[in-house]
Amino acid sequence: MLDFLQHLDRRWIFFLMFIAVAVPLIMGTTFPEVPSDQVMAVFDAVDNLPDGSNVVMALDYDPASQGELQPMASAFARHCAIKKHNIYFMTLWPQGISMIQNSIGILQDEYPETYKGKYGTKYVNLGFRAGNEGVIKLVVEDLKKSYSTDIHGTNLDNIPLTKNLKNIQQVDLLCNVSAGYPGSQEWVLYGSSPFDIPTVVGCTGVQAPIMLPYIPDQLTGMLAAIKGAAEYEQAIINAYPELENNPNAKEGLVRMGPQLVAHLLLISLIFLGNVIYFWERKQGLHQ
Amino acid sequence: MKQSTLIWTILMVAGGAFLLFQASKGNGRVYVREIPVEAQASQPEGEEQVYRWTRYQQVTEAEKGEPDVRFSLSRTLGLWVAAFSTLAIFSFLYGDNPIYKFTESVFVGVSAAYAMVVAFWTEIMTNLYAKLLPGLARITFYPDIDSTARPDYLYLIPLVLSILLLWRLSPKGSWIARWPLAFFIGATAGIRLISYLETDFVGQLQSTVMPFIVFASDGSLLWIKSLRNTIFIVGVVSCMIYFFFSIEHEGVVKYISRLGIWFLMVTFGASFAYTVMGRIALLSGRLVFLFNDWLGI
Amino acid sequence: MKRTIPLLISAITGFVLIGTAFIPLFVDWGNIAMSWFNLLAAFAFILGGGNLLKMQLQKISAQQPGWGYAAVTLIAFFITLFVGLAKVGVHPNVKFPEFAWSGDYLQEDGVFWWLFEYIFTPLSATMFALLAFYISSAAFRAFRAKNTEATILLIIAVIILLGRTYASVWLTGWFPDEFIIGESGIKYSDFNLQNLSEIIMEDFTTPGMRAIKIGIALGVASTSLKVLLGVDRSYLGSDQEA
């Protein structure tokens, strides 16, 4: 048996991982989530703002991280929409433009009474600008030096939401969804920390430990990886039960099924690997 | 027949049969709603000018019977191309193969050109062309530009720097690209120096300055909070001592730095777990596409 | 000329930007410098594309092994570039329909959008999805409890992996909500896997990360100073450069 495992073709492991993720997805298994304090800090930051507050939604991710971050971005969009916030979309990633479109789609399809046909008065899409942290430096000091027009080429001075906006220090909250560089860390370094802009972020599992030390002094809250997204969705559903019937509002919750099985598989693999290692050591293969 | 060829053949035949079955049920088709657009000219010459075209909005399969909804060939084709691309990349798990190499090459080409196009339209056209030639920009790409806008000749400097940067591609005189590069490096160093010191050094130290022993307002000892604070401070200090390579790690320092290593191992263990979590989520995302969007399972 | 001017440019730019934190007059200069910086970053994308083009063409002209794939890359590159720059299939901006080029280059149903949506998105997302498979294979082959440090790492990873899923409720959800010793304030349930993983993140991972951050901050600051003062000139390359 151990001999077989020792020389196991790695494609069998790939196959097991595929099954571990695919089966729970097809079955659509979900589990109840209890939002943690950290997630509730994010929820409260959005929810405690008066209706119709100004929120910058910086979506700094690409299709490669969509599997992990789209549920968060969608949940942010839904929560802000329920609160009827005015939303300024922007991205530091060239591929982020389509990610913004996904969020705008949610606003228009699910909350048409607030957002349909309200471009410029309830939401605006600033699109992408090159320069990574250089863009953050400008938007926190002088927005129109970086964004003279929105994504459609409309002059920001002709858009009601941006007409009197000098920089994003004037907004009530910055929501950032980030897949890496440039992203959450840069927003904290150049935005939220030096200028005290209230900021919440949703980030990938890789970034989560890196962002932890900023909480709570330099960052209000963080949604860490898909678990954070699922808890945030649950927090929104708890507060606004009408979302219970919206399957799209449970994207993160549905993904927790595959996470459970795949995590268990991974732990079993680590365990088996170590059993083989200690067996080999006993045989004198590792000196 | 080689074993791998046999496995491939079985997989392909089974997969193909399943796809045909799914396609016959109507899955893998995209429907769109036709939305007529009527736009009036902003500066009509003479009589009123109206421009008409049709916009398409993707709808769910359930809405396909509605009068203005129709089958979209281009999007259906796109869906199948996307599914093929996904499977082609996944095929690398079995082994390197020409289909994977082909899609990988396509990916490299498309992503480089995509980044170029986006940078061109978003930054170069709006923040350089429109600043240097606002009049021309207004009659070509950006009709909404303020008609009183005057050329900002200061932008000639970044134009020159940019040309020098592109000079790097030329076989001769590419050293001139050092000038814009120096500007870039200098600016990066300038903004990072202050930000990192302010946020990651002073800010992080400030957040670590906390009492070892915490009392409640009634004077009683909050020992759990005190214990947590102590663990935290010991953790930060011991890790920093481990990073302090200018002194010999001997005696007390050795023990403290060893404690630091343990704290770092906990950190890395947690980072590993979170990375795993992230990777699995990415795979779920892809399978959701295959199962829901394409196969309609 | 080749070294002195770049050193001057980088020093002046850097110190002006540092000055923005202390001298109000410098803030506007800093913003101007940043807008130039962003433009250069955009041109860097073009430089990247140009470099790719150069390399692939060299590969094809030398008929290196796999040059056919280089040709595929080039074809994909040129098609994407053309449809993106020419705004193929893009309708004009609704407010300014008489300006044929006023439409959004990434407009839904445009060819560039199609390429992004149906080729770029699946390819890049699947490339990253492959990592889930490789990390599982690595978990089986590489993560061995060889010594104390590796054992700590593995145990923590397992606790977090379990604690962040519903497995934590199955395995330790039954821990009673009672105090461990008298009215100590600590309950058994505080140590269920979910709470334990939160304690690990807050009280052990955060200090470790904080120390790393402080170290990196000092490293970035000293590297930046070395660059601005001209002590570190590695970015200028060698003098032999054409």
Side-chain angles (χ1 to χ4, degrees):
Chain A
M1 178 67 184
L2 283 171
D3 272 336
F4 166 74
L5 287 173
Q6 212 178 357
H7 302 106
L8 185 68
D9 188 332
R10 65 180 185 166
R11 284 175 287 198
W12 285 111
I13 298 173
F14 295 163
F15 180 69
L16 283 176
M17 181 50 91
F18 173 78
I19 296 292
V21 177
V23 171
L25 265 184
I26 293 172
M27 288 167 61
T29 325
T30 56
F31 300 100
E33 291 288 339
V34 181
S36 62
D37 293 345
Q38 215 177 76
V39 169
M40 285 314 289
V42 175
F43 176 85
D44 291 338
V46 179
D47 212 67
N48 291 345
L49 289 175
D51 283 14
S53 298
N54 295 331
V55 176
V56 167
M57 194 81 79
L59 303 182
D60 303 325
Y61 66 102
D62 62 349
S65 309
Q66 222 175 342
E68 197 176 1
L69 298 177
Q70 190 58 49
M72 283 179 204
S74 303
F76 270 132
R78 271 190 197 95
H79 195 187
C80 287
I82 293 169
K83 294 287 295 174
K84 298 187 169 61
H85 291 327
N86 303 324
I87 309 174
Y88 302 82
F89 289 101
M90 62 171 287
T91 177
L92 303 173
W93 288 46
Q95 302 88 349
I97 302 166
S98 284
M99 308 301 114
I100 294 178
Q101 276 309 329
N102 293 337
S103 289
I104 290 177
I106 291 172
L107 299 183
Q108 292 189 330
D109 296 343
E110 297 182 23
Y111 303 91
E113 69 286 354
T114 318
Y115 293 98
K116 191 129 194 169
K118 304 273 177 65
Y119 184 82
T121 52
K122 285 306 288 178
Y123 72 98
V124 63
N125 182 359
L126 299 174
F128 164 79
R129 285 291 180 273
N132 304 335
E133 56 263 61
V135 180
I136 303 180
K137 282 288 279 180
L138 275 184
V139 296
V140 294
E141 300 253 20
D142 189 353
L143 173 80
K144 285 163 194 167
K145 226 182 188 74
S146 180
Y147 286 98
S148 49
T149 64
D150 71 346
I151 195 161
H152 309 296
T154 312
N155 195 335
L156 288 200
D157 291 327
N158 297 337
I159 298 174
L161 271 184
T162 47
K163 204 156 105 185
N164 298 318
L165 189 74
K166 181 170 182 342
N167 56 43
I168 65 162
Q169 291 179 50
Q170 296 171 336
V171 303
D172 303 301
L173 183 70
L174 169 72
C175 288
N176 170 246
V177 181
S178 143
Y181 174 81
S184 303
Q185 189 172 358
E186 285 65 38
W187 278 109
V188 173
L189 277 169
Y190 304 100
S192 80
S193 172
F195 295 99
D196 288 329
I197 302 169
T199 303
V200 290
V201 301
C203 59
T204 58
V206 179
Q207 288 168 281
I210 300 168
M211 297 306 294
L212 269 178
Y214 292 129
I215 302 170
D217 295 338
Q218 292 150 307
L219 184 65
T220 308
M222 169 176 72
L223 305 177
I226 195 75
K227 168 79 171 164
E231 289 181 9
Y232 185 46
E233 285 178 351
Q234 190 63 58
I236 301 174
I237 291 173
N238 293 345
Y240 304 98
E242 67 268 20
L243 283 178
E244 184 67 52
N245 301 322
N246 181 354
N248 295 331
K250 294 179 179 174
E251 236 182 316
L253 287 164
V254 170
R255 305 269 171 91
M256 285 311 286
Q259 289 296 141
L260 168 68
V261 183
H263 284 196
L264 290 176
L265 171 68
L266 213 105
I267 292 167
S268 316
L269 288 171
I270 294 176
F271 178 75
L272 262 180
N274 277 286
V275 169
I276 296 168
Y277 170 71
F278 283 109
W279 176 71
E280 283 173 345
R281 210 154 83 161
K282 217 173 152 191
Q283 305 282 311
L285 292 174
H286 297 278
Q287 292 300 332
Chain B
M1 193 186 279
K2 269 170 43 188
Q3 193 197 17
S4 62
T5 322
L6 182 71
I7 293 174
W8 268 114
T9 317
I10 293 171
L11 271 176
M12 290 288 172
V13 171
F18 179 70
L19 284 183
L20 277 177
F21 173 67
Q22 288 292 329
S24 69
K25 288 202 308 186
N27 290 321
R29 294 182 196 185
V30 183
Y31 295 88
V32 286
R33 171 167 285 123
E34 292 177 337
I35 302 171
V37 180
E38 256 190 26
Q40 289 206 338
S42 59
Q43 299 143 10
E45 293 159 8
E47 68 210 70
E48 196 175 274
Q49 279 175 282
V50 178
Y51 296 78
R52 290 185 181 86
W53 64 86
T54 310
R55 202 162 63 79
Y56 300 98
Q57 185 188 26
Q58 190 162 328
V59 295
T60 57
E61 214 192 328
E63 297 166 73
K64 71 178 177 188
E66 292 176 20
D68 49 352
V69 170
R70 68 169 186 83
F71 170 72
S72 168
L73 180 65
S74 71
R75 291 191 191 209
T76 303
L77 190 70
L79 182 64
W80 283 77
V81 168
F84 168 77
S85 307
T86 304
L87 294 177
I89 299 289
F90 274 145
S91 74
F92 186 71
L93 291 169
Y94 189 82
D96 202 358
N97 62 75
I99 299 174
Y100 169 77
K101 277 191 184 139
F102 174 81
T103 43
E104 189 194 30
S105 310
V106 171
F107 174 62
V108 174
V110 172
S111 50
Y114 176 83
M116 270 175 83
V117 170
V118 174
F120 177 79
W121 285 117
T122 55
E123 188 73 36
I124 297 172
M125 291 306 274
T126 53
N127 284 344
L128 185 65
Y129 169 72
K131 294 274 162 65
L132 279 173
L133 301 164
L136 197 59
R138 197 168 42 249
I139 56 168
T140 50
F141 308 109
Y142 305 107
D144 200 35
I145 287 181
D146 189 358
S147 56
T148 59
R150 294 274 157 268
D152 187 347
Y153 293 114
L154 203 57
Y155 278 87
L156 285 172
I157 300 174
L159 176 68
V160 171
L161 285 175
S162 305
I163 293 167
L164 296 184
L165 184 70
L166 295 182
W167 206 276
R168 209 182 159 75
L169 293 169
S170 122
K172 276 206 168 160
S174 65
W175 62 268
I176 197 77
R178 287 174 185 172
W179 291 17
L181 197 66
F183 174 81
F184 207 79
I185 300 278
T188 309
I191 58 171
R192 286 199 175 173
L193 183 87
I194 293 293
S195 302
Y196 273 82
L197 281 183
E198 188 182 353
T199 307
D200 277 8
F201 183 69
V202 179
Q204 292 295 309
L205 285 181
Q206 259 173 353
S207 305
T208 314
V209 178
M210 48 174 122
F212 279 108
I213 300 167
V214 188
F215 294 99
S217 50
D218 61 0
S220 60
L221 174 73
L222 293 173
W223 72 274
I224 298 175
K225 179 77 183 146
S226 306
L227 180 69
R228 293 182 78 167
N229 279 7
T230 307
I231 292 174
F232 200 102
I233 297 165
V234 168
V236 175
V237 172
S238 60
C239 290
M240 284 174 69
I241 286 179
Y242 168 67
F243 286 137
F244 204 45
F245 298 117
S246 321
I247 48 165
E248 194 102 13
H249 286 200
E250 288 291 335
V252 186
V253 178
K254 183 179 152 191
Y255 292 105
I256 299 175
S257 69
R258 192 161 170 79
L259 183 66
I261 295 178
W262 288 353
F263 264 94
L264 288 174
M265 285 302 137
V266 174
T267 309
F268 297 144
S271 298
F272 167 69
Y274 267 90
T275 305
V276 167
M277 205 188 299
R279 301 302 183 227
I280 291 165
L282 299 184
L283 177 60
S284 317
R286 228 40 230 147
L287 295 187
V288 164
F289 163 76
L290 284 181
F291 296 157
N292 294 3
D293 301 355
W294 182 44
L295 296 175
I297 296 175
Chain C
M1 190 78 165
K2 282 187 180 181
R3 301 185 80 88
T4 318
I5 293 182
L7 285 175
L8 269 176
I9 293 175
S10 96
I12 292 169
T13 318
F15 284 114
V16 164
L17 282 161
I18 291 172
T20 56
F22 310 101
I23 308 165
L25 174 73
F26 278 22
V27 174
D28 277 345
W29 296 0
N31 288 346
I32 291 171
M34 285 330 289
S35 63
W36 297 356
F37 175 90
N38 295 349
L39 271 168
L40 275 178
F43 274 93
F45 281 116
I46 300 196
L47 183 66
N51 257 330
L52 177 84
L53 192 66
K54 199 170 150 182
M55 276 164 48
Q56 303 299 319
L57 281 174
Q58 278 168 356
K59 228 179 195 177
I60 294 170
S61 69
Q63 301 242 323
Q64 284 174 14
W67 66 270
Y69 294 114
V72 171
T73 303
L74 279 189
I75 293 167
F77 176 81
F78 281 118
I79 291 176
T80 313
L81 195 64
F82 172 73
V83 299
L85 293 182
K87 294 191 178 180
V88 178
V90 168
H91 296 294
N93 188 330
V94 183
K95 282 190 200 157
F96 305 97
E98 69 271 38
F99 294 92
W101 285 82
S102 61
D104 176 12
Y105 65 97
L106 202 56
Q107 198 177 77
E108 199 170 330
D109 272 330
V111 182
F112 190 62
W113 170 84
W114 192 95
L115 285 176
F116 178 82
E117 191 69 17
Y118 296 119
I119 293 189
F120 181 85
T121 297
L123 288 178
S124 66
T126 316
M127 290 266 184
F128 277 80
L130 288 183
L131 296 174
F133 295 105
Y134 291 117
I135 211 164
S136 58
S137 168
F140 181 62
R141 296 187 188 283
F143 296 126
R144 306 283 200 247
K146 282 182 182 164
N147 50 36
T148 320
E149 286 79 15
T151 312
I152 295 175
L153 191 146
L154 279 182
I155 292 172
I156 297 297
V158 169
I159 293 173
I160 305 272
L161 281 172
L162 290 173
R164 305 273 86 188
T165 60
Y166 201 67
S168 60
V169 179
W170 286 341
L171 293 170
T172 56
W174 53 271
F175 279 16
D177 225 6
E178 293 162 10
F179 290 115
I180 294 178
I181 322 161
E183 290 289 311
S184 59
I186 302 182
K187 295 173 181 166
Y188 289 100
S189 57
D190 288 339
F191 293 99
N192 69 34
L193 281 167
Q194 171 138 14
N195 290 337
L196 196 59
S197 61
E198 276 171 25
I199 292 171
I200 290 170
M201 293 308 283
E202 284 173 25
D203 297 340
F204 293 89
T205 302
T206 309
M209 257 315 158
R210 182 160 287 173
I212 294 174
K213 270 197 182 301
I214 292 171
I216 292 176
L218 289 173
V220 168
S222 63
T223 315
S224 301
L225 259 185
K226 276 195 314 203
V227 166
L228 296 183
L229 295 173
V231 180
D232 181 353
R233 303 172 180 203
S234 52
Y235 69 95
L236 293 175
S238 68
D239 269 332
Q240 274 72 47
E241 212 174 318

